Amino acid sequence: KQEVTQIPAALSVPEGENLVLNCSFTDSAIYNLQWFRQDPGKGLTSLLLIQSSQREQTSGRLNASLDKSSGRSTLYIAASQPGDSATYLCAASFLDSWGKLQFGAGTQVVVTP
Amino acid sequence: ETGVTQSPTHLIKTRGQQVTLRCSSQSGHNTVSWYQQALGQGPQFIFQYYREEENGRGNFPPRFSGLQFPNYSSELNVNALELDDSALYLCASSFGGDVQETQYFGPGTRLLVL
């Protein structure tokens, strides 16, 4: 069974500290992995998409890595700000269920001023 | 370029009723996917439509059905509503085909079943 897991479920850091969010998946036959941000009661905002042939993607303060052999992706957010407070979800698209995103439960992040 | 829009934003129904949710995809996108997100959980895949045909379905009963129209907008229909159907329903559009691109999500429809 293909599963995507995010640990921890919640995280609190002081402003300015770097954030490290983890995502693990059970099937290495992955097509791509996407990171999303969700604000309370809102839809999902796409942050980064990593294709299976890539090892990382960067956008501004965000960097995401992908290691298929270990079944892990990590999202780094540099110099966190209170505006980064949100729930972060990772989602994998596997080769045998192409187009279907399998989501983790998310990590709720609070950045304190 | 307009983003993904969904209507209505909120809805209250009673058990046994039927509901239709609507989604307008982003300009240039031909694929729409629907997800159900219960409180505190990640979204669960319901189904996907590509060029008006169902292109994959998750573990949801047949009372969840959908349509995609020639302009690539989409509907999600749920019959015989149950209390557990209370959730945020999200649609996502993308450009599908030989390559699966980033999926862009709408703001969601929050459904409460009483």
Side-chain angles (χ1 to χ4, degrees), chain B residues 54-106:
Chain B
E54 189 178 288
N55 184 42
R57 189 180 181 92
N59 190 24
F60 281 81
R63 59 189 185 84
F64 285 78
S65 63
L67 281 174
Q68 188 180 29
F69 300 100
N71 66 355
Y72 301 129
S73 66
S74 177
E75 284 183 355
L76 165 65
N77 299 291
V78 187
N79 293 323
L81 284 166
E82 301 178 359
L83 298 179
D84 283 350
D85 295 333
S86 296
L88 180 68
Y89 288 84
L90 297 162
C91 80
S93 77
S94 58
F95 184 76
D98 292 339
V99 177
Q100 284 287 334
E101 301 290 343
T102 302
Q103 294 192 21
Y104 293 92
F105 281 77

Side-chain angles (χ1 to χ4, degrees), chain A residues 31 34 38 46 49 98-99 101, chain B residues 35 37 48 97 100 102-103:
Chain A
Y31 182 76
Q34 202 165 346
Q38 186 172 34
S46 178
L49 171 76
W98 196 44
L101 291 179
Chain B
Y35 294 82
Q37 186 178 24
Q48 182 182 84
Q100 284 287 334
T102 302
Q103 294 192 21

Side-chain angles (χ1 to χ4, degrees), chain A residues 72-107:
Chain A
R72 287 184 180 179
S73 177
T74 303
L75 177 67
Y76 300 89
I77 303 177
S80 61
Q81 304 168 358
D84 294 329
S85 298
T87 296
Y88 292 84
L89 297 130
C90 67
S93 177
F94 295 101
L95 291 176
D96 66 349
S97 53
W98 196 44
K100 165 188 171 183
L101 291 179
Q102 184 112 1
F103 281 85
T107 295

